[in-house]
Amino acid sequence: MSPVSKAQQKATAKYVKENYDRIEIKVPKGKKEVYRTHAAQRKESLNAFLIRAAEEAMERDAQQTDNP
């Protein structure tokens, strides 16, 4: 695999900036690795796992609101 050029790095950074929002979360010491391990066991990235968890929680919350 060849090294990534500066132009490619710049283009990638621009794409990410234009298409994604960043969220920083803080978790208790040790939990990051627990989450990362869980995600890896499901063959997904930590980021994908956290997004899935948030989406599923929002879906459950919406169902609870719709069906009190």
Side-chain angles (χ1 to χ4, degrees), residues 29-57:
K29 281 279 189 194
K31 278 293 194 178
K32 179 180 175 181
E33 204 49 47
V34 171
Y35 300 152
R36 185 184 309 276
T37 299
H38 179 82
Q41 289 170 345
R42 299 186 55 88
K43 305 218 181 330
E44 62 186 347
S45 68
L46 177 57
N47 190 69
F49 165 63
L50 294 173
I51 290 170
R52 182 172 60 82
E55 294 291 332
E56 288 176 2

Side-chain angles (χ1 to χ4, degrees), residues 11-31:
T12 300
K14 181 180 182 223
Y15 175 84
V16 168
K17 184 175 182 177
E18 291 174 353
N19 291 282
Y20 294 95
D21 288 327
R22 293 188 58 84
I23 300 173
E24 180 180 348
I25 64 169
K26 292 173 178 48
V27 297
K29 281 279 189 194
K31 278 293 194 178

Side-chain angles (χ1 to χ4, degrees), residues 52-67:
R52 182 172 60 82
E55 294 291 332
E56 288 176 2
M58 290 180 357
E59 194 173 301
R60 279 191 310 273
D61 291 349
Q63 288 174 355
Q64 290 173 356
T65 301
D66 294 341
N67 301 315

